[in-house]
Amino acid sequence: MAYDLQEQEQLASIKAWWDKYGNFILTAVTAVLLAIAAYNGWGWYERREAGQAAVLYDEMKTALNGNNAARVKELAGALVERHPRTVYAAMAALHAARSHHDANDVAGAKAQLRWVIDRSGHEEFTLVARVRLAGVLLDEKAFDEALGLVTGEVPDAHATTFADRRGDILLAQGKSAEARAAWQQALVKADAQHPLRNIIQLKLDSLPAAAAS
């Protein structure tokens, strides 16, 4: 009998506890299950989107190999419009910018590069686009805007290209001492195998001798 009474008391206690907290627990469990479902659904969507983008990018590589500039631009537009969050869209926009530039469509090249910088969300490609856009603006003699793109702290992997482009812009402004400092910094950041190392050294060698202090 004592056991039955104890059991009844435990059941009553559990019932009271459930009456107080049951709705909250059910709500929390439902929220967790919905979050798991949403996460799995989002992962499936991202994998599907990346797969579709990869197919378009493969087509674009074929067009690049065939020097089909019109098709490159068309596929880049499709990637940017349909799959803007994928890495393939950023890569496609960079390729399209080169195609526009080679066709003397400077406005088109700038638009593609600005899209990568402002909207791609992929830092590695954003940094590449900043250097390339600075080069386009340098050709247009938009020196201040170009310099702004390659000024500031960047990861070491991009420090040489940023400093090299900065030197180009500063020299074009007639600031040879500042250009020298930028190229010297570029060399400091470049390892022995960096593809720009010899070019930067040639630029430094072509400068007039620094004035004695």
Side-chain angles (χ1 to χ4, degrees):
M1 178 67 71
Y3 180 84
D4 290 341
L5 288 173
Q6 185 181 28
E7 186 178 63
Q8 289 176 12
E9 288 174 359
Q10 288 174 341
L11 289 173
S13 177
I14 291 171
K15 183 178 182 302
W17 182 87
W18 182 258
D19 288 341
K20 185 175 182 179
Y21 298 108
N23 287 338
F24 172 78
I25 292 172
L26 287 174
T27 300
V29 169
T30 300
V32 169
L33 292 174
L34 287 173
I36 292 171
Y39 176 81
N40 289 335
W42 180 250
W44 171 85
Y45 172 78
E46 285 193 320
R47 289 191 296 273
R48 176 174 173 270
E49 186 175 17
Q52 292 175 343
V55 171
L56 288 174
Y57 188 73
D58 282 342
E59 291 183 36
M60 184 178 184
K61 287 195 295 184
T62 300
L64 283 166
N65 292 335
N67 295 316
N68 188 343
R71 183 65 174 154
V72 168
K73 295 171 187 176
E74 178 187 350
L75 289 166
L79 278 161
V80 166
E81 181 180 349
R82 300 178 201 169
H83 311 289
R85 290 183 297 274
T86 67
V87 68
Y88 298 104
M91 292 190 295
L94 289 174
H95 285 306
R98 174 60 61 87
S99 292
H100 281 290
H101 191 267
D102 290 347
N104 294 317
D105 179 5
V106 176
K110 288 165 64 176
Q112 294 290 333
L113 293 170
R114 289 192 189 282
W115 183 88
V116 177
I117 294 167
D118 296 335
R119 301 182 60 189
S120 74
H122 294 281
E123 183 184 17
E124 283 295 311
F125 296 109
T126 295
L127 293 168
V128 172
R130 283 171 59 184
V131 173
R132 293 186 183 178
L133 181 55
V136 175
L137 293 169
L138 170 59
D139 291 340
E140 294 184 325
K141 301 188 188 313
F143 301 132
D144 290 340
E145 187 179 358
L147 198 58
L149 286 167
V150 290
T151 299
E153 294 296 322
V154 295
D156 284 345
H158 295 268
T160 294
T161 54
F162 267 63
D164 175 52
R165 182 69 81 215
R166 207 159 50 243
D168 295 339
I169 298 164
L170 290 165
L171 184 66
Q173 290 180 301
K175 301 174 180 178
S176 58
E178 289 90 336
R180 183 191 305 278
W183 285 328
Q184 286 173 338
Q185 182 185 15
L187 281 182
V188 168
K189 294 292 186 179
D191 59 39
Q193 286 75 41
H194 198 287
L196 287 177
R197 189 173 185 86
N198 290 336
I199 296 172
I200 296 168
Q201 188 62 61
L202 287 172
K203 293 177 182 178
L204 280 168
D205 293 344
S206 69
L207 289 174
S213 56

